[in-house]
Amino acid sequence: MLKKRIIANISISDGIVVQSFGFKKKLPLGKAEAFVKNLDRWMVDEIIINDFSRSKKNQNPNFEMIKQIGSIKKNTPITYSGGITNADEAARIINYGFERIAIDSLYIKNPNEIKSIAEKIGSQAIIVSIPLKIYRGKLYHYNHVDKISEQLNFGKLDSYGNYFSELMLIDYLNEGNKNSFNYQIIEKFCKKNKRLKIIPFGGISENKQVYKIINSKQVTALCIGNFLNYIENSYQLYKEFLTNKKIKNIRPASYKKNFI
Amino acid sequence: MKKIAIIDYKVGNIESLKNFFKDLGFQSYITDQKKKIEDSDIIILPGIGAFPSAIKIMKNKGLIDTIKKISKSGKPIIGICLGMQLLTTKSYEFKETMGLDLIPGEIHPIEDNQYQIGWNNLISKKIDISLWYSPQDNYYFNHSYYFKGSKNYIYATAFKNKELPAIIRNKNIYGIQFHPEKSQESGKNLMINLLKSFN
């Protein structure tokens, strides 16, 4: 049985790992390499490096950091997000040892390029991530670069839907804040689009939230960031909770035999 | 010590594989040079990428004939994910493209635009002492196309709406649809047993 995943997010701003709060306020934590090594040792399902400062500042991916992370000995699937603008950059990131890439501002600026990226690295290796909020009962897509929100265009998602495999729905207003993910984002999205597989992210911290979200039909994975840093063994504690709730379509907690 | 050549066709996660083999205690190198490929003991076709793009690069570098020639010598060739798909007769990813034809069969899209992304168990279809795994172990998959061919070549499957081939084999040619290098302890155990079986 294919398992639903809990993805560990590492937020990066200006080359260092940060605790991010709505992608605005941030507290420095340290070097990405140390976080990747720890998460790999904790046997998380997947890691995503989210260098959100690159897209915000219109910068291309930080290849020095990508190469450094790629060279770490690790056996956990890893995705890079941040400033990717073309197929050559995407292929270079994969070459450095990443399995997947996530597209953010490119989806707004030049979505046709996603097709070229898919032709080079395959659509299975592409995630599109979109920051969302609910406004007057409707989903709005926030553009970090131009700092504007527009109503989410479902037609556009459909037309590019064959060139990416999963869609990360980011509750950007609640990102980094405890127990605050807005479930309406999932509900409203899935009401309009029943095809795309989704990865909710932003403000997911509590076991009960993880349980509720992971049980949503179109959710193939969910993503947790800051809250993995607060409690020892936090990642495997989420897994343990789900295992105790008899959720079968996850990899069970494994830290008891493998941790440390 | 066995020398492992990881074929560089510019679209695979080659650094991950190099680190993986080093961790398992094997010497490997990344190359697109015919001589270095011929001098190796085990050949790896890495994963991640699109079929036509990878075949085009292999053709331009003259690697297709080299690999086909080596396959006749009995030297083990292991394809991982996209690498597995390249070993087959042809693929329909984006367009019809001929493969290496070392394992007869075709690569088709998973029905209903489905992907198999994430961790899954293996279902044994044929016993092979070199392919050791437990049904409880999980392996990391990431693909949207799958192998359609004779069950004679299918050694294990994984269930995603239906059984999809996960390990295929034709004599000395092995195809692994998942990523052992990203499957943590399960992947390490599977690969080390496979590599040791070549002694």
Side-chain angles (χ1 to χ4, degrees), chain A residues 207-253:
Chain A
N207 284 330
K208 63 180 182 188
Q209 290 180 292
V210 173
Y211 178 77
K212 185 172 176 181
I213 292 168
I214 212 104
N215 278 309
S216 302
K217 196 180 167 195
Q218 276 171 252
V219 169
T220 47
L222 60 83
C223 192
I224 302 178
N226 289 358
F227 307 102
L228 296 177
N229 302 312
Y230 298 153
I231 305 166
E232 202 176 347
N233 295 341
S234 52
Y235 184 86
Q236 295 297 353
L237 290 172
Y238 289 119
K239 287 292 187 85
E240 192 170 77
F241 179 84
L242 295 174
T243 307
N244 290 339
K245 283 276 188 186
K246 312 278 187 229
I247 300 288
K248 294 205 187 311
N249 58 348
I250 56 147
R251 278 204 308 160

CSV table of all heavy atoms in Angstrom, one decimal, chain A residues 207-253:
chain,number,residue,atom,x,y,z
A,207,ASN,N,-1.1,16.9,16.8
A,207,ASN,CA,-1.5,15.6,16.3
A,207,ASN,C,-2.9,15.5,15.7
A,207,ASN,O,-3.1,14.9,14.6
A,207,ASN,CB,-1.4,14.6,17.5
A,207,ASN,CG,0.0,14.3,17.9
A,207,ASN,OD1,0.9,14.2,17.1
A,207,ASN,ND2,0.2,14.0,19.2
A,208,LYS,N,-3.8,16.2,16.3
A,208,LYS,CA,-5.2,16.1,15.8
A,208,LYS,C,-5.3,16.8,14.4
A,208,LYS,O,-6.1,16.4,13.6
A,208,LYS,CB,-6.2,16.8,16.8
A,208,LYS,CG,-5.9,18.2,17.0
A,208,LYS,CD,-6.9,18.9,18.0
A,208,LYS,CE,-6.6,20.3,18.1
A,208,LYS,NZ,-7.2,21.1,19.1
A,209,GLN,N,-4.5,17.8,14.2
A,209,GLN,CA,-4.5,18.5,12.8
A,209,GLN,C,-3.9,17.5,11.8
A,209,GLN,O,-4.4,17.3,10.7
A,209,GLN,CB,-3.6,19.7,12.8
A,209,GLN,CG,-4.1,20.9,13.6
A,209,GLN,CD,-3.0,22.0,13.5
A,209,GLN,OE1,-1.9,21.9,14.0
A,209,GLN,NE2,-3.4,23.1,12.7
A,210,VAL,N,-2.8,16.9,12.2
A,210,VAL,CA,-2.1,15.9,11.3
A,210,VAL,C,-3.1,14.8,10.9
A,210,VAL,O,-3.2,14.4,9.8
A,210,VAL,CB,-0.8,15.3,11.9
A,210,VAL,CG1,-0.2,14.2,11.1
A,210,VAL,CG2,0.2,16.5,12.1
A,211,TYR,N,-3.8,14.3,12.0
A,211,TYR,CA,-4.8,13.2,11.8
A,211,TYR,C,-5.9,13.6,10.8
A,211,TYR,O,-6.2,12.9,9.9
A,211,TYR,CB,-5.3,12.8,13.2
A,211,TYR,CG,-6.4,11.8,13.1
A,211,TYR,CD1,-6.0,10.4,13.0
A,211,TYR,CD2,-7.8,12.1,13.2
A,211,TYR,CE1,-7.0,9.4,12.9
A,211,TYR,CE2,-8.7,11.1,13.2
A,211,TYR,CZ,-8.3,9.8,13.1
A,211,TYR,OH,-9.3,8.8,13.0
A,212,LYS,N,-6.4,14.8,11.0
A,212,LYS,CA,-7.5,15.3,10.2
A,212,LYS,C,-7.0,15.5,8.7
A,212,LYS,O,-7.7,15.0,7.8
A,212,LYS,CB,-8.1,16.6,10.8
A,212,LYS,CG,-9.3,17.1,10.0
A,212,LYS,CD,-9.9,18.3,10.8
A,212,LYS,CE,-11.1,18.8,10.0
A,212,LYS,NZ,-11.7,20.0,10.6
A,213,ILE,N,-5.9,16.1,8.6
A,213,ILE,CA,-5.4,16.4,7.2
A,213,ILE,C,-5.0,15.2,6.5
A,213,ILE,O,-5.4,15.0,5.3
A,213,ILE,CB,-4.3,17.5,7.3
A,213,ILE,CG1,-4.8,18.8,7.8
A,213,ILE,CG2,-3.6,17.6,5.9
A,213,ILE,CD1,-3.7,19.8,8.2
A,214,ILE,N,-4.3,14.3,7.1
A,214,ILE,CA,-3.8,13.1,6.4
A,214,ILE,C,-5.0,12.2,6.0
A,214,ILE,O,-4.9,11.4,5.0
A,214,ILE,CB,-2.8,12.3,7.3
A,214,ILE,CG1,-1.8,11.6,6.5
A,214,ILE,CG2,-3.5,11.3,8.2
A,214,ILE,CD1,-0.5,12.2,6.4
A,215,ASN,N,-6.2,12.4,6.6
A,215,ASN,CA,-7.3,11.6,6.2
A,215,ASN,C,-8.1,12.2,5.0
A,215,ASN,O,-9.1,11.6,4.6
A,215,ASN,CB,-8.3,11.4,7.4
A,215,ASN,CG,-7.8,10.2,8.3
A,215,ASN,OD1,-7.5,9.1,7.7
A,215,ASN,ND2,-7.6,10.4,9.5
A,216,SER,N,-7.7,13.4,4.6
A,216,SER,CA,-8.4,14.0,3.5
A,216,SER,C,-8.0,13.3,2.2
A,216,SER,O,-6.8,12.9,2.0
A,216,SER,CB,-8.0,15.5,3.3
A,216,SER,OG,-8.3,16.2,4.4
A,217,LYS,N,-9.0,13.0,1.4
A,217,LYS,CA,-8.8,12.1,0.2
A,217,LYS,C,-7.7,12.6,-0.7
A,217,LYS,O,-6.8,11.8,-1.2
A,217,LYS,CB,-10.1,12.0,-0.6
A,217,LYS,CG,-10.1,10.8,-1.5
A,217,LYS,CD,-11.5,10.8,-2.3
A,217,LYS,CE,-11.3,9.8,-3.4
A,217,LYS,NZ,-12.5,10.0,-4.4
A,218,GLN,N,-7.6,13.9,-1.1
A,218,GLN,CA,-6.7,14.3,-2.1
A,218,GLN,C,-5.3,14.6,-1.5
A,218,GLN,O,-4.3,14.9,-2.2
A,218,GLN,CB,-7.2,15.6,-2.8
A,218,GLN,CG,-8.1,15.2,-4.0
A,218,GLN,CD,-8.8,16.4,-4.6
A,218,GLN,OE1,-10.0,16.6,-4.3
A,218,GLN,NE2,-8.1,17.3,-5.3
A,219,VAL,N,-5.2,14.5,-0.2
A,219,VAL,CA,-3.9,14.8,0.4
A,219,VAL,C,-3.0,13.5,0.3
A,219,VAL,O,-3.4,12.5,0.7
A,219,VAL,CB,-4.1,15.1,1.9
A,219,VAL,CG1,-2.8,15.1,2.7
A,219,VAL,CG2,-4.8,16.5,2.1
A,220,THR,N,-1.8,13.7,-0.3
A,220,THR,CA,-0.9,12.6,-0.5
A,220,THR,C,0.3,12.8,0.6
A,220,THR,O,1.0,11.8,0.9
A,220,THR,CB,-0.3,12.6,-1.9
A,220,THR,OG1,0.1,13.9,-2.2
A,220,THR,CG2,-1.2,12.0,-2.9
A,221,ALA,N,0.4,14.0,1.1
A,221,ALA,CA,1.4,14.3,2.1
A,221,ALA,C,1.1,15.6,2.8
A,221,ALA,O,0.3,16.3,2.3
A,221,ALA,CB,2.8,14.4,1.4
A,222,LEU,N,1.6,15.8,3.9
A,222,LEU,CA,1.5,17.1,4.5
A,222,LEU,C,2.9,17.5,5.0
A,222,LEU,O,3.8,16.7,5.1
A,222,LEU,CB,0.5,17.2,5.7
A,222,LEU,CG,0.8,16.3,6.9
A,222,LEU,CD1,1.7,16.9,7.9
A,222,LEU,CD2,-0.6,16.0,7.6
A,223,CYS,N,3.1,18.8,5.2
A,223,CYS,CA,4.4,19.4,5.5
A,223,CYS,C,4.4,20.1,6.8
A,223,CYS,O,3.5,20.9,7.1
A,223,CYS,CB,4.7,20.3,4.3
A,223,CYS,SG,6.4,20.8,4.2
A,224,ILE,N,5.4,19.8,7.6
A,224,ILE,CA,5.6,20.5,8.9
A,224,ILE,C,6.9,21.1,9.0
A,224,ILE,O,7.9,20.5,8.6
A,224,ILE,CB,5.4,19.4,10.1
A,224,ILE,CG1,4.1,18.8,10.0
A,224,ILE,CG2,5.6,20.1,11.4
A,224,ILE,CD1,3.8,17.7,11.1
A,225,GLY,N,7.0,22.4,9.5
A,225,GLY,CA,8.3,23.1,9.5
A,225,GLY,C,8.7,23.3,11.0
A,225,GLY,O,9.3,22.5,11.6
A,226,ASN,N,8.5,24.5,11.5
A,226,ASN,CA,9.0,25.0,12.8
A,226,ASN,C,8.8,24.0,13.9
A,226,ASN,O,9.6,23.8,14.7
A,226,ASN,CB,8.2,26.2,13.2
A,226,ASN,CG,8.6,27.5,12.4
A,226,ASN,OD1,9.5,27.4,11.5
A,226,ASN,ND2,8.0,28.6,12.7
A,227,PHE,N,7.6,23.3,13.9
A,227,PHE,CA,7.3,22.5,15.0
A,227,PHE,C,8.1,21.2,15.2
A,227,PHE,O,8.0,20.5,16.2
A,227,PHE,CB,5.7,22.2,15.0
A,227,PHE,CG,5.0,23.5,14.8
A,227,PHE,CD1,4.5,23.9,13.6
A,227,PHE,CD2,4.9,24.4,15.9
A,227,PHE,CE1,3.9,25.1,13.4
A,227,PHE,CE2,4.3,25.6,15.7
A,227,PHE,CZ,3.8,26.0,14.5
A,228,LEU,N,8.9,20.9,14.2
A,228,LEU,CA,9.8,19.8,14.4
A,228,LEU,C,11.0,20.1,15.3
A,228,LEU,O,11.7,19.3,15.7
A,228,LEU,CB,10.3,19.3,13.0
A,228,LEU,CG,9.3,18.7,12.1
A,228,LEU,CD1,9.9,18.4,10.7
A,228,LEU,CD2,8.6,17.5,12.7
A,229,ASN,N,11.2,21.4,15.5
A,229,ASN,CA,12.3,21.9,16.3
A,229,ASN,C,12.1,22.1,17.8
A,229,ASN,O,13.0,22.3,18.5
A,229,ASN,CB,12.8,23.3,15.7
A,229,ASN,CG,13.2,23.1,14.2
A,229,ASN,OD1,13.9,22.2,13.8
A,229,ASN,ND2,12.7,24.1,13.4
A,230,TYR,N,10.8,22.0,18.2
A,230,TYR,CA,10.5,22.4,19.6
A,230,TYR,C,10.6,21.2,20.5
A,230,TYR,O,10.9,21.4,21.7
A,230,TYR,CB,9.1,23.0,19.6
A,230,TYR,CG,8.9,24.2,18.8
A,230,TYR,CD1,7.7,24.6,18.3
A,230,TYR,CD2,10.0,25.1,18.6
A,230,TYR,CE1,7.5,25.8,17.6
A,230,TYR,CE2,9.9,26.3,17.9
A,230,TYR,CZ,8.6,26.6,17.4
A,230,TYR,OH,8.5,27.8,16.7
A,231,ILE,N,10.2,20.0,20.1
A,231,ILE,CA,10.2,18.8,21.0
A,231,ILE,C,11.1,17.7,20.5
A,231,ILE,O,11.1,17.4,19.3
A,231,ILE,CB,8.7,18.3,21.1
A,231,ILE,CG1,7.7,19.4,21.4
A,231,ILE,CG2,8.6,17.1,22.0
A,231,ILE,CD1,6.3,19.0,21.2
A,232,GLU,N,11.7,17.1,21.4
A,232,GLU,CA,12.6,16.0,21.0
A,232,GLU,C,11.8,14.8,20.4
A,232,GLU,O,10.7,14.6,20.9
A,232,GLU,CB,13.3,15.4,22.3
A,232,GLU,CG,14.6,14.7,21.9
A,232,GLU,CD,15.3,14.3,23.2
A,232,GLU,OE1,15.0,14.8,24.3
A,232,GLU,OE2,16.2,13.5,23.0
A,233,ASN,N,12.3,14.2,19.4
A,233,ASN,CA,11.6,13.1,18.7
A,233,ASN,C,10.2,13.6,18.1
A,233,ASN,O,9.4,12.7,17.8
A,233,ASN,CB,11.3,12.0,19.6
A,233,ASN,CG,12.5,11.3,20.1
A,233,ASN,OD1,13.6,11.4,19.5
A,233,ASN,ND2,12.4,10.5,21.2
A,234,SER,N,10.0,14.9,17.9
A,234,SER,CA,8.7,15.3,17.5
A,234,SER,C,8.2,14.6,16.2
A,234,SER,O,7.0,14.3,16.2
A,234,SER,CB,8.8,16.8,17.2
A,234,SER,OG,9.8,17.1,16.3
A,235,TYR,N,9.1,14.4,15.2
A,235,TYR,CA,8.6,13.8,14.0
A,235,TYR,C,8.0,12.4,14.2
A,235,TYR,O,6.9,12.1,13.8
A,235,TYR,CB,9.8,13.7,13.0
A,235,TYR,CG,9.4,13.2,11.7
A,235,TYR,CD1,8.8,14.0,10.7
A,235,TYR,CD2,9.4,11.8,11.4
A,235,TYR,CE1,8.4,13.6,9.5
A,235,TYR,CE2,8.9,11.3,10.1
A,235,TYR,CZ,8.4,12.2,9.2
A,235,TYR,OH,8.0,11.7,8.0
A,236,GLN,N,8.8,11.6,15.0
A,236,GLN,CA,8.3,10.2,15.2
A,236,GLN,C,7.1,10.2,16.2
A,236,GLN,O,6.3,9.3,16.1
A,236,GLN,CB,9.4,9.3,15.7
A,236,GLN,CG,10.6,9.2,14.6
A,236,GLN,CD,10.1,8.5,13.4
A,236,GLN,OE1,9.0,8.0,13.3
A,236,GLN,NE2,11.0,8.4,12.4
A,237,LEU,N,7.0,11.3,17.0
A,237,LEU,CA,5.8,11.3,17.8
A,237,LEU,C,4.5,11.5,17.0
A,237,LEU,O,3.5,11.0,17.4
A,237,LEU,CB,5.9,12.4,18.9
A,237,LEU,CG,7.0,12.2,20.0
A,237,LEU,CD1,7.2,13.4,20.8
A,237,LEU,CD2,6.6,11.0,20.8
A,238,TYR,N,4.6,12.3,15.9
A,238,TYR,CA,3.4,12.4,15.0
A,238,TYR,C,3.1,11.0,14.5
A,238,TYR,O,1.9,10.6,14.4
A,238,TYR,CB,3.7,13.4,13.9
A,238,TYR,CG,3.8,14.8,14.2
A,238,TYR,CD1,5.0,15.5,14.0
A,238,TYR,CD2,2.7,15.5,14.8
A,238,TYR,CE1,5.1,16.9,14.3
A,238,TYR,CE2,2.8,16.9,15.1
A,238,TYR,CZ,4.0,17.6,14.9
A,238,TYR,OH,4.1,18.9,15.2
A,239,LYS,N,4.1,10.3,14.0
A,239,LYS,CA,3.9,9.0,13.5
A,239,LYS,C,3.3,8.0,14.5
A,239,LYS,O,2.4,7.2,14.2
A,239,LYS,CB,5.3,8.4,12.9
A,239,LYS,CG,5.8,9.1,11.7
A,239,LYS,CD,4.9,8.8,10.5
A,239,LYS,CE,5.4,9.2,9.2
A,239,LYS,NZ,6.3,8.3,8.5
A,240,GLU,N,3.8,8.1,15.7
A,240,GLU,CA,3.4,7.2,16.8
A,240,GLU,C,1.9,7.5,17.0
A,240,GLU,O,1.1,6.6,17.2
A,240,GLU,CB,4.2,7.5,18.0
A,240,GLU,CG,3.9,6.4,19.1
A,240,GLU,CD,5.0,6.5,20.2
A,240,GLU,OE1,4.8,7.4,21.1
A,240,GLU,OE2,5.9,5.7,20.2
A,241,PHE,N,1.5,8.8,17.0
A,241,PHE,CA,0.1,9.1,17.3
A,241,PHE,C,-0.8,8.5,16.2
A,241,PHE,O,-1.8,7.9,16.5
A,241,PHE,CB,-0.1,10.7,17.3
A,241,PHE,CG,-1.5,11.1,17.5
A,241,PHE,CD1,-2.0,11.2,18.8
A,241,PHE,CD2,-2.3,11.4,16.4
A,241,PHE,CE1,-3.3,11.6,19.0
A,241,PHE,CE2,-3.6,11.9,16.6
A,241,PHE,CZ,-4.1,12.0,17.9
A,242,LEU,N,-0.4,8.7,14.9
A,242,LEU,CA,-1.2,8.1,13.8
A,242,LEU,C,-1.2,6.6,13.9
A,242,LEU,O,-2.3,6.0,13.6
A,242,LEU,CB,-0.6,8.6,12.5
A,242,LEU,CG,-0.6,10.1,12.2
A,242,LEU,CD1,0.1,10.5,10.9
A,242,LEU,CD2,-2.1,10.6,12.1
A,243,THR,N,-0.1,6.0,14.2
A,243,THR,CA,-0.1,4.5,14.3
A,243,THR,C,-1.0,4.1,15.4
A,243,THR,O,-1.8,3.1,15.2
A,243,THR,CB,1.4,4.1,14.7
A,243,THR,OG1,2.3,4.6,13.7
A,243,THR,CG2,1.5,2.5,14.6
A,244,ASN,N,-1.0,4.8,16.5
A,244,ASN,CA,-2.0,4.4,17.6
A,244,ASN,C,-3.4,4.6,17.2
A,244,ASN,O,-4.3,4.0,17.8
A,244,ASN,CB,-1.6,5.2,18.9
A,244,ASN,CG,-0.3,4.8,19.5
A,244,ASN,OD1,0.2,3.7,19.2
A,244,ASN,ND2,0.3,5.7,20.3
A,245,LYS,N,-3.6,5.5,16.3
A,245,LYS,CA,-5.0,5.8,15.8
A,245,LYS,C,-5.4,4.8,14.7
A,245,LYS,O,-6.4,5.0,14.0
A,245,LYS,CB,-5.1,7.2,15.2
A,245,LYS,CG,-5.2,8.3,16.3
A,245,LYS,CD,-6.6,8.4,16.7
A,245,LYS,CE,-6.8,9.6,17.7
A,245,LYS,NZ,-8.2,9.6,18.2
A,246,LYS,N,-4.5,3.8,14.5
A,246,LYS,CA,-4.7,2.7,13.5
A,246,LYS,C,-4.8,3.2,12.1
A,246,LYS,O,-5.5,2.7,11.2
A,246,LYS,CB,-6.0,2.0,13.8
A,246,LYS,CG,-6.2,1.5,15.2
A,246,LYS,CD,-5.5,0.3,15.5
A,246,LYS,CE,-5.8,-0.3,16.9
A,246,LYS,NZ,-4.6,-0.7,17.7
A,247,ILE,N,-4.0,4.3,11.8
A,247,ILE,CA,-3.9,4.8,10.4
A,247,ILE,C,-2.9,3.9,9.8
A,247,ILE,O,-1.7,3.8,10.2
A,247,ILE,CB,-3.4,6.3,10.4
A,247,ILE,CG1,-4.3,7.2,11.1
A,247,ILE,CG2,-3.1,6.7,8.9
A,247,ILE,CD1,-5.6,7.5,10.4
A,248,LYS,N,-3.3,3.2,8.7
A,248,LYS,CA,-2.5,2.2,8.1
A,248,LYS,C,-1.7,2.7,7.0
A,248,LYS,O,-0.6,2.1,6.7
A,248,LYS,CB,-3.4,1.0,7.6
A,248,LYS,CG,-4.0,0.2,8.7
A,248,LYS,CD,-4.3,-1.2,8.3
A,248,LYS,CE,-5.2,-2.0,9.3
A,248,LYS,NZ,-4.7,-1.9,10.7
A,249,ASN,N,-2.1,3.8,6.3
A,249,ASN,CA,-1.4,4.2,5.1
A,249,ASN,C,-0.3,5.2,5.4
A,249,ASN,O,-0.2,6.2,4.7
A,249,ASN,CB,-2.4,4.7,4.0
A,249,ASN,CG,-3.2,5.8,4.5
A,249,ASN,OD1,-3.3,6.1,5.7
A,249,ASN,ND2,-3.9,6.5,3.6
A,250,ILE,N,0.4,5.0,6.5
A,250,ILE,CA,1.6,5.8,6.8
A,250,ILE,C,2.8,4.8,7.1
A,250,ILE,O,2.5,3.7,7.5
A,250,ILE,CB,1.4,6.8,7.9
A,250,ILE,CG1,1.0,6.0,9.2
A,250,ILE,CG2,0.5,7.9,7.6
A,250,ILE,CD1,1.5,6.6,10.5
A,251,ARG,N,4.0,5.3,7.0
A,251,ARG,CA,5.1,4.5,7.5
A,251,ARG,C,5.0,4.6,9.0
A,251,ARG,O,5.0,5.8,9.5
A,251,ARG,CB,6.4,5.0,7.0
A,251,ARG,CG,6.8,4.6,5.6
A,251,ARG,CD,8.3,4.6,5.4
A,251,ARG,NE,8.9,5.9,5.8
A,251,ARG,CZ,10.2,6.0,6.0
A,251,ARG,NH1,11.0,5.0,6.0
A,251,ARG,NH2,10.7,7.2,6.3
A,252,PRO,N,5.1,3.5,9.7
A,252,PRO,CA,4.9,3.7,11.2
A,252,PRO,C,6.2,4.3,11.8
A,252,PRO,O,7.2,4.4,11.2
A,252,PRO,CB,4.8,2.2,11.7
A,252,PRO,CG,5.3,1.4,10.5
A,252,PRO,CD,5.2,2.2,9.3
A,253,ALA,N,6.0,4.8,13.1
A,253,ALA,CA,7.1,5.4,13.8
A,253,ALA,C,8.3,4.3,13.9
A,253,ALA,O,8.0,3.1,14.1
A,253,ALA,CB,6.7,5.7,15.2
